[in-house]
Amino acid sequence: MAESAATKPVAIEIRGLKKRYRQVEALKGITLKVKEGELFAYLGPNGSGKTTTIKILVGLARASEGEAFVNGYNVEKESINAKRQCGYVPQAINLDHELTVEENLDIHGRLFDMSRSYRRERIDYLLEYVGLKDRKKSPVKELSGGMKRRVMIARALLHEPKVLFLDEPTVGLDPAIRRKIWALVKKIQMDGTTIFLTTHYIEEAEFLADRVAFLSEGTIITVGKPQELIDDLGRWALDVVENERMHTLYFPTQEEAKRHAVLHPGAFSVRRVNLEDVFLSLTGQRVG
């Protein structure tokens, strides 16, 4: 019998996490649990604290207050063991462009004390896994943006982490390439890896995530399953333009939205509700 989400072990646990930069409080007491094998999306506008949270979890920044655990290891008190649980793909492409794909991955394996034979085995396996086996000897500078992202994902998976952190993994990529990355991310999750994802693309979170958290000004506003959050607001939206301003109303059915539309003399459109509507209704801000 498959293990239910409720009984699965916790892969990431955050307790009262705060982070201050001089007079700026980037995180204001985040508390969160992510289950093993879950794909969890962490959403919010620039400056809301998404990247700060990830940097604390992967050991690149220290919390001002609170605790965080990855696969049971305290990220501050057991930092070495905690870091071994993590794979991290940052926003910026930080590959060495003068080295080959293979050389970039090999350096990462050395940092994790992987034996030469095991490094070679994992590099060959992962380049096949991400569809770049034929680019093994290519200098990174010759790759497209989408290929570089896939190399970064392969590098993050090299040491077999239990948890993969993806910070805006498809930023700047065209829609067709983004969807290839989505397919790869779902494949990684199906193979048992817990994934913690930040993204500005709201459709990315809707398609990929089991659950999402909305973050605003260092505080989690709400956590839930994407479709449940949408259903709670209303499945259909009516955007109405009146007096050069647009406002949005939400309805459980398309028919109700259309009936209400005739009451407004201005321009209007009826569409499906998305996660950005949920965030806007809670904060008045857009995710991106």
Side-chain angles (χ1 to χ4, degrees), residues 98-216:
E98 298 303 317
L99 298 182
T100 66
V101 169
E102 180 183 29
E103 287 167 341
N104 271 273
L105 299 184
D106 188 69
I107 288 171
H108 182 85
R110 289 170 184 263
L111 292 173
F112 280 88
D113 296 322
M114 297 170 64
S115 69
R116 184 181 181 186
S117 60
Y118 190 47
R119 290 198 308 271
R120 287 181 172 179
E121 178 185 328
R122 286 291 293 169
I123 288 169
D124 286 344
Y125 169 76
L126 286 166
L127 290 180
E128 177 77 33
Y129 190 82
V130 301
L132 291 173
K133 187 177 180 180
D134 61 333
R135 304 310 296 263
K136 179 178 176 180
K137 301 294 185 181
S138 298
V140 166
K141 63 185 178 183
E142 296 179 359
L143 304 183
S144 67
M147 288 178 179
K148 290 173 184 175
R149 291 284 174 187
R150 282 186 277 161
V151 172
M152 290 173 67
I153 292 172
R155 182 183 62 183
L157 293 172
L158 195 70
H159 60 287
E160 298 189 89
K162 300 295 184 185
V163 183
L164 180 62
F165 293 92
L166 301 174
D167 194 5
E168 303 281 356
T170 62
V171 66
L173 301 180
D174 66 54
I177 301 302
R178 285 211 310 269
R179 289 181 179 272
K180 288 183 179 180
I181 300 292
W182 293 1
L184 175 59
V185 169
K186 288 303 289 185
K187 180 180 178 182
I188 293 165
Q189 184 198 14
M190 290 172 65
D191 287 341
T193 303
T194 305
I195 298 175
F196 192 93
L197 167 77
T198 75
T199 179
H200 277 129
Y201 300 114
I202 203 70
E203 73 276 14
E204 192 161 279
E206 285 188 34
F207 178 77
L208 292 173
D210 299 310
R211 287 191 304 144
V212 301
F214 284 129
L215 193 69
S216 178

Side-chain angles (χ1 to χ4, degrees), residues 1-156:
M1 182 181 294
E3 193 174 17
S4 70
T7 60
K8 283 186 174 181
V10 174
I12 301 168
E13 184 170 3
I14 301 171
R15 301 175 186 167
L17 205 63
K18 295 184 180 182
K19 179 63 177 178
R20 288 183 290 272
Y21 296 100
R22 296 183 180 178
Q23 302 304 314
V24 177
E25 195 169 21
L27 297 176
K28 301 176 181 177
I30 300 295
T31 295
L32 184 67
K33 288 183 180 180
V34 178
K35 295 287 188 172
E36 186 180 284
E38 189 172 17
L39 202 162
F40 191 90
Y42 201 52
L43 308 176
N46 286 336
S48 60
K50 302 187 304 297
T51 297
T52 297
T53 304
I54 285 185
K55 285 186 173 180
I56 291 171
L57 290 170
V58 301
L60 294 177
R62 296 185 68 176
S64 302
E65 291 182 39
E67 293 182 300
F69 301 82
V70 177
N71 225 31
Y73 293 103
N74 187 300
V75 299
E76 186 171 328
K77 297 177 182 177
E78 304 168 282
S79 61
I80 298 300
N81 285 328
K83 286 177 181 178
R84 289 189 177 276
Q85 310 304 308
C86 303
Y88 175 42
V89 179
Q91 291 182 36
I93 294 175
N94 61 355
L95 301 167
D96 190 320
H97 285 65
E98 298 303 317
L99 298 182
T100 66
V101 169
E102 180 183 29
E103 287 167 341
N104 271 273
L105 299 184
D106 188 69
I107 288 171
H108 182 85
R110 289 170 184 263
L111 292 173
F112 280 88
D113 296 322
M114 297 170 64
S115 69
R116 184 181 181 186
S117 60
Y118 190 47
R119 290 198 308 271
R120 287 181 172 179
E121 178 185 328
R122 286 291 293 169
I123 288 169
D124 286 344
Y125 169 76
L126 286 166
L127 290 180
E128 177 77 33
Y129 190 82
V130 301
L132 291 173
K133 187 177 180 180
D134 61 333
R135 304 310 296 263
K136 179 178 176 180
K137 301 294 185 181
S138 298
V140 166
K141 63 185 178 183
E142 296 179 359
L143 304 183
S144 67
M147 288 178 179
K148 290 173 184 175
R149 291 284 174 187
R150 282 186 277 161
V151 172
M152 290 173 67
I153 292 172
R155 182 183 62 183

